[in-house]
Amino acid sequence: MAFVMVSFDDEKNKASSFMAKRDYDFDIYFPGEQYPFTTSAIPATFIVDKNGKTVGQHMGMADYNKDEILNQLKSLANE
């Protein structure tokens, strides 16, 4: 399982600072770099299985501590 962040900030250090404040350790992608998703929503979440298939998505803010989301992630991790 992997988590990535796509940042639309003009200043890359803002995204890096955000990650450091929360002690997050995953890749950050910036506009102009290649990444496989397009969206006009900020934030946007895409859940992708180990085969690269998008199995869930959410546009906008979300509570990622909900049982529904946690169970889906646990299920994908066990596949």
Side-chain angles (χ1 to χ4, degrees), residues 7 35 38-39 63 68:
S7 175
Y35 48 91
T38 57
T39 181
D63 179 0
E68 177 185 347

Side-chain angles (χ1 to χ4, degrees), residues 7 9-18 28-31 33:
S7 175
D9 284 317
D10 291 331
E11 299 176 32
K12 290 183 178 184
N13 64 338
K14 286 184 181 180
S16 298
S17 176
F18 173 86
I28 306 172
Y29 293 89
F30 297 93
E33 295 179 0

Side-chain angles (χ1 to χ4, degrees), residues 10-53:
D10 291 331
E11 299 176 32
K12 290 183 178 184
N13 64 338
K14 286 184 181 180
S16 298
S17 176
F18 173 86
M19 298 283 283
K21 285 181 190 176
R22 286 156 181 82
D23 200 26
Y24 293 157
D25 183 26
F26 45 86
D27 294 333
I28 306 172
Y29 293 89
F30 297 93
E33 295 179 0
Q34 290 187 334
Y35 48 91
F37 308 102
T38 57
T39 181
S40 59
I42 300 173
T45 301
F46 297 90
I47 301 172
V48 180
D49 69 12
K50 66 182 179 182
N51 298 312
K53 179 182 174 190

Side-chain angles (χ1 to χ4, degrees), residues 1-5 25-27 73:
M1 182 180 313
F3 292 89
V4 298
M5 174 182 180
D25 183 26
F26 45 86
D27 294 333
L73 293 174

